[in-house]
Each structure stands twice: as structure tokens, then as C-alpha cells.
Amino acid sequence: MVGRREALRTELLASVREAARDQLRAVGPADLSLRAIARDVGISPAGLYRYYDGRDALLTMLITDGYTDLADHLFLAQGLAEEVSDLGRTRQVPEAADADAPPLDRLRATWRTYRTWSLAHPNEFHLLFGQPIEGYAAPLDGATTRANARMARALVLPAYVAWQSGDLDVPDLADPPHGLHRLAEAISEEAPVPVSASFAARTLAWWSVLHGAVALELNGQFRWLDEDATGDLFAATLEATLDAARPD
Amino acid sequence: MVGRREALRTELLASVREAARDQLRAVGPADLSLRAIARDVGISPAGLYRYYDGRDALLTMLITDGYTDLADHLFLAQGLAEEVSDLGRTRQVPEAADADAPPLDRLRATWRTYRTWSLAHPNEFHLLFGQPIEGYAAPLDGATTRANARMARALVLPAYVAWQSGDLDVPDLADPPHGLHRLAEAISEEAPVPVSASFAARTLAWWSVLHGAVALELNGQFRWLDEDATGDLFAATLEATLDAARPD
DNA sequence: ATCTTATGTGGACAGTGTTCACGAAGAAAG
DNA sequence: CTTTCTTCGTGAACACTGTCCACATAAGAT
């Protein structure tokens, strides 16, 4: 049986969570005000400490939420609805691909969703990928790291599938540097079939293009282009990246 | 003749500037404390307003300084010492290429310097490319934008040179999107010879790889790799990018 | 009915950026 | 040399911020 007290607690926990997300949507991670959140929930600033132990705990929770939300969108975009645990909130993803679609199309949809999500949630993007807040260090074994790894998996997986199905070709490096072997091992633990060091490196390179294009656009480095030109640029960048890995 | 008063003013202006840069090296743009800077200079917080009109002015100055410093390093790396106005501070750039070196080597050196500088100045990197500070908007016609454009030129120039000398090949897009033509025009104004829309798009794609690789590394997304592995990964990423544009 | 534990509060402390009235010192004009 | 004007710098104040602590008030358990 659930006591009346416990019920109120989980309800207030959810309230705070929602208020924090609402505020993050408006003001950016650095200006996230603990006192304003307390005001929104209708509680005193000190009382908030009974639920989240200070600002760092709030940020930890927001970061974890951000990673899982992004990962959900990425999984849905490539047609892997079974990977997302909590449907309902992530229901309306614009371009959810069919799981039977060609691997390259699913990869494309995943990459486009990375941009779409980031443009729609700029503050979350900066919270996840921007500078760490004032010496805030995520607990390495905590939920944050797990959510981060899941997001990385959602990003690597479609590239891996396209590679396995022969739609992407990655030339083997003549002399793969030492460190990349360990990277390949790390990725291989997640993948069904071991990947080569060359493929592992190439995957991170693809993430780099993707991330850099989004980060530069979001930061306003392309502000002298008009709105739709940035979309065209992004599409051209992705196609160029894929062309470089076309088999033939 | 320069009055005694004016001399003191320029000296104090420089003092504040140095104190601000020192503090930025330590604490990150969001925690940059105006009062701490005033303490360092030995002035009251209110007195600082006679020199810089509030925190935004300080940030504007730091951003401008950051862009020019990065641009100087990039120009020196490709062997264009004549482009940097204020030598002396930027004297010791690790890998200053000869102006007669092969274009591809100069391009490589420039890209490597982008990473080196960013890893050496993480807070400046976040200030320049991270999220805009609490609704801070750079004046569009101001010095900030000029310094930003100069940095972009330092980044585009070596790619342009390599392209002109035939060391880089960029396939023409079959149907270049509308917005990219205007992008090409904008770049062409800076370059000696007009560039195609395809080349313009490809240049920004290269910047995206470069920027994304650095941003992800700096943000700790590669933290599960060991130190030297990230260097190897970066080198592999650059070579893969160049390989995709090899003529033959 | 008593005891224990969780919950919430107001007050305080040390910070922050910014504004304002006011005094002191340099520069210029009589 | 004296007066006027402008710049410089200060201390106090205001409205914020995150965090901590003693204290009262409830709920749950014995």
C-alpha cells in the first residue's frame, strides 16, 4: 500500500521536474534559477532541497532527461520503437522511418533528427554538449553516463546496420593507430558483430560532421545565410559524407 | 602630447583586459565575475563601469580578442605571418608552416592548429562557439563580427589554395540548392577567384568535421578513450576527410 | 498517546551585476 | 592664481542568486 505521504512526494518530484524543464526551455542552463523553480512549484527555496540536493542534482536530472529524450527521438527516427521505454512523450517525432526501410534512408533520418531535435531544443543541446557548468562533473557510474551511452548507441547503430548490409564501405586504414584498437573493442562490446578499428574511427568522424554542422548552425556561425539555406547546406553536407562512403 | 590622465586610462584599460583574460583562463565564461576583475585591478566594482560598460562589454571584448587570437594562430600555421597584425603575443605557435610548403600540408597544419588552440584555451572556445551568454547578442556591425569573419577567412583560405592548386577536388553537385548560390557569392567576395556553390558548401562541411571533432572531444564525449587515442582519432578523421577530396 | 521521521519554513550568509549621489582630482579658461 | 568643468573613483543600496541551519508542523509507527 502506498501512503498518502509517498504519493505526495512522487507527485511533487514530478512537478519540480516539469518546472525545471519548462524553465530550461526558456532561459538556458547557466541562468537556471533554483529559486524560480521553487516559486513555480509553490514551495520555499529551502524546501526544494528535500527533493533535489541543490542545483547540481537538478542539472544531473535535466542532463539525463535530455540524453534519453534525444536517444528516443533517434531510435524512433530509425524505426526502432521497441528501444524506447517511455512512449507517449516522444510520440510525435516528425519522420519516424519504417524498420524495413533501406538502411541508408534510416541512417539519413537518424542524422536529420539529430539536427531537428537540437534546433527544437537549443538549451538542452547546450546543456548536453556545451561547456560543463561551473565545475560540475557527472558521476561516472551514474544515470547520466548510462543515458549518454544509450544516445551514442542510437547514433552508431544505424551506421553499423548500413555497413553490415553493404550500403556503406569503409576502407581499411593501412596502419591503424594504436588507440583506435581499444576504441574498436569498446564499440564491439555493444555491437552484435565486432567492428574494425577503421570502422570505429569512421563512425566517430561521422558523428563529428553531424555534430559540428549542428553546433555551428546553432551558434549562429551561419547567421549570414538565410533560413532555408542552412537546411540545404546541412543536406549537402550529409550527402557529401555519405558519398565518400559509397561502395563501388 | 598625451596627458597624464589619458595615459593612466589606457594603462588601466589594458590592466582590466589582462585581468579579464586571466580570469577567463580559470573559470569559464558563465562564472566570469565582474567584481573579481575589479578586485584584481584594485578598483571598486562601480569604478569598472567607467572603462567597460557592464559585463556585456567585457564579454564583447573577450570574444573579439578570442577570435583574433585564434585567427592569428591559424594564419601563422599556414605560413601567412603577414596577415597577423600584432605579432609578439602569438609568437610561439607550435607548428608554423612555411609559406612554400605544399598546400595540403598547410591545410593540415591549419586544421591541427584549430584543435591545438581549442584544447589549450577551452574556456575561450566555449565563449566563442558555445551558447550565447544570457541573451547576449553581438552587435552585428561591430568589432566582434569583423573578428569572427577574419577567423572564418583564416579557415577557408588554405582549403581554397589547395583547391586552386589542384590538390583538392570537389565534385559539382548535380542540382545545387538555391541557398548555396548566395553562400558561394558571399565567399567569392573574399576570395581572389569566384568559387562554385559546390565548393562553398564543401568548405563549410570541412569546417563542420573539424569543429565537431574538437567540440566533442572538449566536451568529454570521448572521455572513455585514453589521451593519445583522441589524437589518433582526430588525425584519422582529418585524413579520411582529405581522402574523400583527393583527385584521381 | 507517545515517539520518530519526513516535510516545510523563515532567516541568515556570502556572493553576484547594476545604479546612484557624492567627493576628489586633473584639465582648461579667466 | 582662481575659477569652472569634466573625468574618475567610491560607498551604499537594490534585487537577485545558491546554500545552510534552527525550528515548527505534520504524518506514520509503536
Side-chain angles (χ1 to χ4, degrees):
Chain A
M1 168 190 174
V2 48
R4 171 169 40 172
R5 197 163 209 166
E6 194 171 346
L8 287 179
R9 168 163 253 272
T10 60
E11 186 179 355
L12 194 45
L13 264 171
S15 259
V16 171
R17 188 162 159 172
E18 195 175 349
R21 296 199 66 168
D22 279 5
Q23 213 201 331
L24 181 59
R25 197 152 305 151
V27 296
D31 298 339
L32 198 136
S33 164
L34 186 143
R35 289 181 114 103
I37 294 177
R39 265 193 303 271
D40 280 15
V41 185
I43 210 178
S44 87
L48 225 167
Y49 277 72
R50 306 284 174 182
Y51 297 89
Y52 290 93
D53 189 17
R55 234 181 62 140
D56 280 17
L58 257 313
L59 289 178
T60 304
M61 165 275 206
L62 283 174
I63 291 175
T64 308
D65 268 25
Y67 277 131
T68 57
D69 192 43
L70 173 54
D72 285 349
H73 277 79
L74 295 180
F75 276 129
L76 279 186
Q78 57 193 288
L80 296 181
E82 68 274 12
E83 288 279 359
V84 8
S85 53
D86 176 25
L87 260 309
R89 200 190 46 197
T90 331
R91 186 81 51 80
Q92 71 293 16
V93 44
E95 45 171 351
D98 200 349
D100 307 323
L104 273 190
D105 285 348
R106 291 165 61 191
L107 179 58
R108 263 187 270 256
T110 308
W111 284 356
R112 273 197 298 260
T113 300
Y114 191 89
R115 172 173 179 260
T116 305
W117 186 90
S118 301
L119 292 186
H121 308 83
N123 291 325
E124 272 96 334
F125 180 85
H126 286 124
L127 179 62
L128 299 185
F129 299 110
Q131 85 156 5
I133 310 273
E134 61 165 318
Y136 165 83
L140 266 188
D141 55 337
T144 303
T145 308
R146 253 196 329 272
N148 185 358
R150 193 172 89 100
M151 189 275 295
R153 197 164 68 87
L155 213 46
V156 170
L157 196 57
Y160 174 80
V161 169
W163 180 56
Q164 278 292 308
S165 66
D167 290 342
L168 280 184
D169 193 31
V170 172
D172 276 336
L173 295 175
D175 184 25
H178 199 74
L180 293 186
H181 282 296
R182 260 180 297 216
L183 164 61
E185 290 173 15
I187 294 191
S188 294
E189 291 178 8
E190 307 261 354
V193 169
V195 305
S196 68
S198 304
F199 177 78
R202 197 56 68 95
T203 305
L204 294 188
W206 288 331
W207 186 12
S208 295
V209 204
L210 185 58
H211 185 80
V214 172
L216 287 178
E217 176 176 355
L218 213 53
N219 181 237
Q221 295 291 336
F222 300 154
R223 85 180 77 91
W224 38 285
L225 292 173
D226 32 325
E227 192 88 20
D228 51 343
T230 58
D232 293 344
L233 175 62
F234 182 76
T237 299
L238 290 199
E239 288 311 314
T241 303
L242 288 179
D243 275 341
R246 272 291 146 62
D248 279 355
Chain B
M1 166 186 175
V2 50
R4 173 168 41 175
R5 197 162 209 166
E6 194 172 346
L8 286 180
R9 167 163 254 272
T10 60
E11 187 178 354
L12 194 45
L13 264 171
S15 257
V16 171
R17 188 162 158 172
E18 194 174 349
R21 295 198 67 169
D22 279 7
Q23 212 201 333
L24 180 58
R25 197 151 304 150
V27 297
D31 298 339
L32 199 134
S33 164
L34 187 142
R35 290 180 114 104
I37 295 178
R39 264 193 303 270
D40 279 14
V41 185
I43 211 179
S44 89
L48 224 165
Y49 277 72
R50 306 284 173 181
Y51 297 89
Y52 290 93
D53 189 18
R55 233 179 64 138
D56 280 17
L58 257 313
L59 288 178
T60 304
M61 165 274 200
L62 284 173
I63 291 175
T64 308
D65 268 24
Y67 277 131
T68 58
D69 193 44
L70 174 54
D72 286 349
H73 278 79
L74 294 180
F75 276 129
L76 279 187
Q78 59 192 287
L80 295 181
E82 70 273 12
E83 288 280 0
V84 10
S85 53
D86 175 25
L87 260 307
R89 200 190 47 198
T90 332
R91 185 82 50 80
Q92 71 294 16
V93 44
E95 45 171 349
D98 200 350
D100 307 322
L104 273 189
D105 285 347
R106 291 165 61 191
L107 179 59
R108 263 187 272 255
T110 307
W111 284 357
R112 274 197 298 259
T113 299
Y114 191 89
R115 172 171 178 261
T116 305
W117 187 90
S118 302
L119 292 186
H121 309 82
N123 290 326
E124 272 95 335
F125 180 85
H126 287 124
L127 179 63
L128 300 185
F129 300 110
Q131 82 157 7
I133 309 273
E134 60 165 314
Y136 164 83
L140 265 188
D141 55 336
T144 302
T145 308
R146 254 196 328 271
N148 186 358
R150 193 173 87 99
M151 189 276 294
R153 198 166 65 88
L155 214 45
V156 169
L157 196 57
Y160 175 80
V161 170
W163 180 55
Q164 277 294 308
S165 66
D167 290 342
L168 280 184
D169 193 32
V170 171
D172 275 337
L173 296 174
D175 183 24
H178 199 73
L180 293 187
H181 282 295
R182 261 181 294 216
L183 165 60
E185 289 173 16
I187 293 190
S188 295
E189 291 178 10
E190 306 261 357
V193 169
V195 306
S196 68
S198 304
F199 177 79
R202 197 56 68 93
T203 304
L204 294 187
W206 289 331
W207 186 11
S208 295
V209 203
L210 186 57
H211 185 81
V214 172
L216 287 177
E217 176 176 356
L218 213 55
N219 181 236
Q221 295 290 337
F222 301 154
R223 86 180 74 91
W224 37 286
L225 291 174
D226 32 327
E227 191 88 20
D228 52 342
T230 59
D232 293 343
L233 174 62
F234 182 76
T237 299
L238 291 199
E239 288 311 314
T241 304
L242 288 179
D243 275 342
R246 271 293 144 62
D248 278 356

